[in-house]
Amino acid sequence: MSGRGGWWRGKSTPAKVETYTRWSFHTFPLVEVAAFALPAFGYVPAPVNWILFLLVSAHAALGAVTASLTLDWTRGRRPLPVRLLWALGTATVVIAVVSLVVALHGPRGADNGAAAGTVFVGVLSFGIGTLALSVRETRRMVYGVLGAALGAGAVAVPASVPAPAAAVAAGATVLAAGFFTFTSAFSVWMLNSVYELDEARETRARLAVAEERLRFGRDLHDVMGRNLAVVALKSELAVQLARRGRPEAVEQMIEVQRIARETQREVREVVRGYREADLRTELAGAQGVLTAAGIDCEVSGPVPGLPAEIQSALGWVVREATTNVLRHGDAGRCAVSLRVAEGRVTLTVENDGAPGIGTGSRTDTETAEPGRGSGLAGLRERLREVDGVLRAGPAGDDLFRLTAEVPLPPDSVPEQAPAPEPGGSPRPVPCPVSEVTS
């Protein structure tokens, strides 16, 4: 990126915060020199003023290098500069002692002692604040500040500094060193937080992509599963009819061609992300497909006025259940019922010809054996979006039942389906095959 400030605009938000933090620590040496070294020229006579200036400048430069390398360590880019930290700590103590000696035994003047004492407090404060960058525990930072204050008092008392002056030096060290330590700790915390938030945002983006891929795979499975099963069934039927010289084989292959084109259209809609299953269409399609496969299918319902998201979820249940009936077992009868009671809509699909089951088996899919395909798992995910539940399992000798229950919103009151006659099965609602095959 070209132009003035292009290098800044090209940085990410965490990189901008890191650059700002680094330059802030790079300005601290300038503040240290300007606040503590330069004033010595006005209050301390030569050559002592030059000694203090050079010592404070060297300490500031060493602190800048240490801060830069330690920030790299906080970001995991290099090992902790232990030797440099020891050098900074030693230099801080030495320069503080030198400034104290100058204040007590240097040239006498009105402000000589005050200027040297200011250097003493300033060097300790900046040194402790920079060393705090290498500490990650707040407790140790507090110990460092208190230790610097106690050390200042311990050095001042043996040097014949009056007790009030020693107390003032210790208090000033606590305040100044505490401020710079807090600044260092807060800067590191903010820098790490920004990077963590950026990583969280990237992780959320990756999860969204993964979730979309799962959605696409699930939708593609739901679309292709039943249609390919129907294509295989009708193709097999067409082969048998053709071997017998029956003209109906042509009609079956025409139907295969229509289903293939319909599948192609549905796959395009899945790719675009716009596909929603229509419950009425899926019920009619299930009856038509199962009837074409030689399975007696009865459909009771549907209930008009259901919310669109509930219709879509139940439509996918009908599609997946139809696919399972075609693929598994040897069903001769299938019943699909849809009813509303007590604020819940219940869809039930029951078929016979289910192999390997018996009366008394568990009927809750949540406790059934896992790992039998991704179809029911995908249905649970869809129903979970509308607070629904799915149960599937044996319902008696040679029977298999799948039930989906979804609560209705309080403001949704769909029309009730006709109640079944006493002692009889639910009244089938016409769902002609022509609705699907046309």
Side-chain angles (χ1 to χ4, degrees):
M1 184 174 294
S2 60
R4 179 182 298 177
W7 70 275
W8 175 261
R9 292 194 298 270
K11 290 178 176 289
S12 63
T13 298
K16 290 179 179 179
V17 174
E18 181 176 358
T19 302
Y20 170 79
T21 303
R22 287 183 178 275
W23 280 105
S24 298
F25 280 99
H26 290 164
T27 59
F28 285 171
L30 301 179
V31 174
E32 184 177 0
V33 172
F36 304 114
L38 292 179
F41 287 100
Y43 300 104
V44 181
V48 178
N49 52 8
W50 279 102
I51 296 175
L52 292 177
F53 174 78
L54 293 176
L55 289 176
V56 174
S57 299
H59 183 268
L62 183 60
V65 176
T66 305
S68 180
L69 297 181
T70 308
L71 284 176
D72 287 338
W73 169 74
T74 61
R75 296 305 313 145
R77 297 168 186 163
R78 65 170 66 243
L80 183 66
V82 179
R83 295 182 179 179
L84 203 58
L85 290 168
W86 275 104
L88 178 62
T90 303
T92 300
V93 174
V94 169
I95 297 174
V97 171
V98 170
S99 62
L100 184 61
V101 171
V102 170
L104 296 176
H105 306 289
R108 296 300 175 183
D111 298 317
N112 292 349
T118 303
V119 172
F120 174 81
V121 174
V123 169
L124 278 178
S125 302
F126 276 96
I128 295 300
T130 304
L131 292 174
L133 292 174
S134 63
V135 181
R136 291 180 174 176
E137 296 182 10
T138 304
R139 175 173 53 87
R140 293 186 178 182
M141 294 181 185
V142 174
Y143 290 164
V145 173
L146 296 179
L150 293 176
V155 172
V157 171
S160 301
V161 177
V168 170
T173 302
V174 168
L175 294 177
F179 171 77
F180 287 113
T181 299
F182 171 79
T183 301
S184 298
F186 179 77
S187 299
V188 171
W189 172 82
M190 182 177 65
L191 180 61
N192 292 333
S193 298
V194 170
Y195 271 104
E196 290 175 0
L197 289 175
D198 187 68
E199 292 174 0
R201 181 186 61 81
E202 293 179 356
T203 302
R204 183 178 63 181
R206 289 195 296 269
L207 290 176
V209 172
E211 183 178 357
E212 183 62 18
R213 288 176 179 173
L214 290 176
R215 183 201 65 81
F216 177 78
R218 180 186 62 196
D219 290 355
L220 195 61
H221 167 271
D222 293 341
V223 168
M224 299 294 292
R226 187 194 68 176
N227 291 358
L228 291 178
V230 174
V231 167
L233 179 67
K234 288 186 173 293
S235 298
E236 182 180 357
L237 178 59
V239 170
Q240 298 295 331
L241 292 175
R243 288 176 178 175
R244 299 174 185 176
R246 301 281 296 275
E248 291 87 349
V250 177
E251 297 179 1
Q252 294 297 326
M253 292 309 300
I254 292 175
E255 183 68 11
V256 168
Q257 184 182 31
R258 185 199 66 79
I259 295 175
R261 290 176 177 173
E262 180 69 16
T263 302
Q264 186 181 25
R265 182 187 63 81
E266 291 180 349
V267 168
R268 289 197 189 101
E269 292 178 350
V270 168
V271 172
R272 295 191 185 102
Y274 296 139
R275 188 175 192 278
E276 292 291 342
D278 180 72
L279 180 58
R280 184 180 296 274
T281 302
E282 294 298 335
L283 287 171
Q287 188 178 41
V289 168
L290 294 176
T291 301
I295 301 174
D296 184 18
C297 179
E298 292 184 355
V299 178
S300 61
V303 177
L306 293 176
E309 62 274 10
I310 295 180
Q311 288 205 40
S312 177
L314 295 180
W316 285 109
V317 174
V318 173
R319 175 178 284 265
E320 178 64 26
T322 304
T323 302
N324 290 338
V325 172
L326 291 173
R327 287 182 175 178
H328 309 295
D330 186 19
R333 182 185 64 85
C334 180
V336 183
S337 64
L338 187 68
R339 62 186 179 86
V340 174
E342 299 179 355
R344 301 179 67 87
V345 56
T346 303
L347 172 69
T348 304
V349 181
E350 183 177 290
N351 64 278
D352 60 1
I357 61 175
T359 306
S361 300
R362 290 181 298 182
T363 61
D364 194 344
T365 307
E366 299 295 339
T367 59
E369 180 182 355
R372 295 189 176 182
S374 60
L376 296 182
L379 293 182
R380 290 194 188 94
E381 293 180 7
R382 293 182 185 278
L383 291 173
R384 195 176 297 119
E385 295 177 358
V386 291
D387 299 328
V389 294
L390 180 71
R391 292 186 294 272
D397 293 336
D398 202 36
L399 293 178
F400 188 88
R401 179 182 299 146
L402 183 146
T403 305
E405 293 185 1
V406 180
L408 291 171
D411 56 348
S412 175
V413 185
E415 300 177 8
Q416 298 290 334
E421 298 178 1
S425 59
R427 183 183 304 169
V429 173
C431 290
V433 180
S434 59
E435 291 187 22
V436 180
T437 59
S438 58

